Amino acid sequence: MTKNATYSYWLTLPLLFLLAIYFIPPANAATSDSDWPKYHRLDNGWRYSPLADINKANVDKLKVAWIHQPGDIQHGLQATPIVLDGVIYYVAANNNVYAVDGETLWHYQPELDPIVTRVFYQAASRGVTVGHGMVYLGTLDGRFIALNQKTGKPVWKRKITDLKSCYGCLFSSPPQLAGEVLYGGTTGGDQPQRGKIYAVNALNGQPLWEFDTISDDPESWPGDTGNVGGGGAWMPGVYDEKTDLIHIGTSNAAPDFFGEVRKGDNKYTASLLAIEAKTGKLKWFFQEVPHDVWDYDSAYEIVTIEHENRDVIFHLNKGGFVYVLDKKTGKPINIWPLSQTYNWVESVNPKTGELIGRNEPKLGEEKVLCPYLLGARSWNHGAYSPKTGLWYTNAMEVCNKIIAAEQNPEKIGISGLYLGVSLLEAVAPPNQKASARLDARDPITGEVRWSVNYPIPGLGSVLATAGGLVFNGDVFGKVFAYDAANGDELWSFNTGSGIRSGIISYGKNGKQYLLVPSGFGSHAPGFMASAFPEVSGLPGGAALIAFSIDK
């Protein structure tokens, strides 16, 4: 190579690098109605499809279009698929990632640290994120991985946590994008860890910031209790591009039911956070359950709607109350109960959030506390329709029978839980049966518009569509279509295994599809079994099933 050629070669390399970065597709490109580009479809958290070709008049003509089976059925399918330009990206058991269009386009199987076979949160993953020409995965062994969107080949890998020293510090949900920031929180609020939210550069995986969900304030966490105080943020947050803020909910304090060892309000557990995406600095927070001694995470979906000419958030806490907050300040606008049988408090002040009449566990004393540790609903998400103005969500009435007990965190193994109990059993509410339902509610007031009863709680996420439909699945494997206005059942189909995932809709070549990940799993059935014995022994599975209507 000549001197001039060498000079030209080294001059060109930086230019090629800049061009490559410049032409990486943006994370927040204009969204087609046919796509499902993010975990909740959009960062408003609605889980609403604007497609209306499948509607109340023809939904009874839905038929199976194709089925994709990943093979590994451990813990079923818990993912919400992502769809861009007709290509579906999803994750199955043990972090196996697929790109499919009815057939497999590529498959990526990460080589996981053998330690994942020993952790409590085995096998399961709730999805992937797609942006910047990459597919992002949070792994069971504490890594963020970026894959080439076209080929599935790794672009970069970043080790975030060390499970050997931080039990539960893994990623069961997909990290999310806030522009060129990729962020996600650790699972494991029920374990002796110090939970955190991590952010890296989405283009190259370089660390940007960490947010500690355990405050350094000794009045909030006396002594070194915060080092084993749980926390984390195990469900996906949402990003507000207008303000460059990440909104994300945090999990419970540990030990869950024995708070004597961590006297204080235990910030920032059981809280909703607004974090600056570029810096990781806290803009505002609202702690829904100060000094949580009931396992009432604030990790569930965060939904934004306009109310009285301002943006408001509504958000379900595991304690069974829905918090309606001003999105700009985090101040309460209203708080209403989804749970019909709660007894952990007498009430919650709807304008301040003050917990009135706390009913706390007592050392060595048997108590029945409602709702139970899965909440008035598990982590599966509701859906909001702008056409009806209603929020559609599964709900259940179940309680815990508990005896609070001391527990030495140093004697808990990697798969052990730091619950602070000697007895924990799901039971029916006092003087009535355990029950379940699908509700349609006004998200601001909580007013019930209609309700459908279920024999066992639905554990899949709800979908609302512009076709005037609401889709929901049950633990037996049936998928239902309801009239969004009145709850009338219009269609059903038995997929063969229970629904524990995100039902979505997308379009391709002018045709609308309903996409149902079928496959029963997770730890929820085990926690539920004493209250709903029929849940034991239901068949497992893993199948991505697409439905359409022949024109």
Side-chain angles (χ1 to χ4, degrees), residues 161 165-169 186-189 191-198 210-218 221-233 251 254 267 269:
T161 63
S165 59
C166 186
Y167 300 167
C169 291
T186 52
T187 306
Q191 294 192 281
Q193 59 140 324
R194 190 179 186 107
K196 292 184 179 180
I197 300 165
Y198 297 89
E210 298 178 6
F211 182 90
D212 197 336
T213 63
I214 304 295
S215 167
D216 268 337
D217 183 355
W221 292 95
D224 61 357
T225 57
N227 291 334
V228 291
S251 57
K267 292 185 180 72
T269 61

Side-chain angles (χ1 to χ4, degrees), residues 103-122:
E103 298 181 353
T104 301
L105 300 176
W106 55 256
H107 168 215
Y108 172 73
Q109 183 173 10
E111 185 175 337
L112 296 173
D113 189 307
I115 199 170
V116 302
T117 62
R118 298 162 49 203
V119 301
F120 178 76
Y121 310 92
Q122 290 181 14

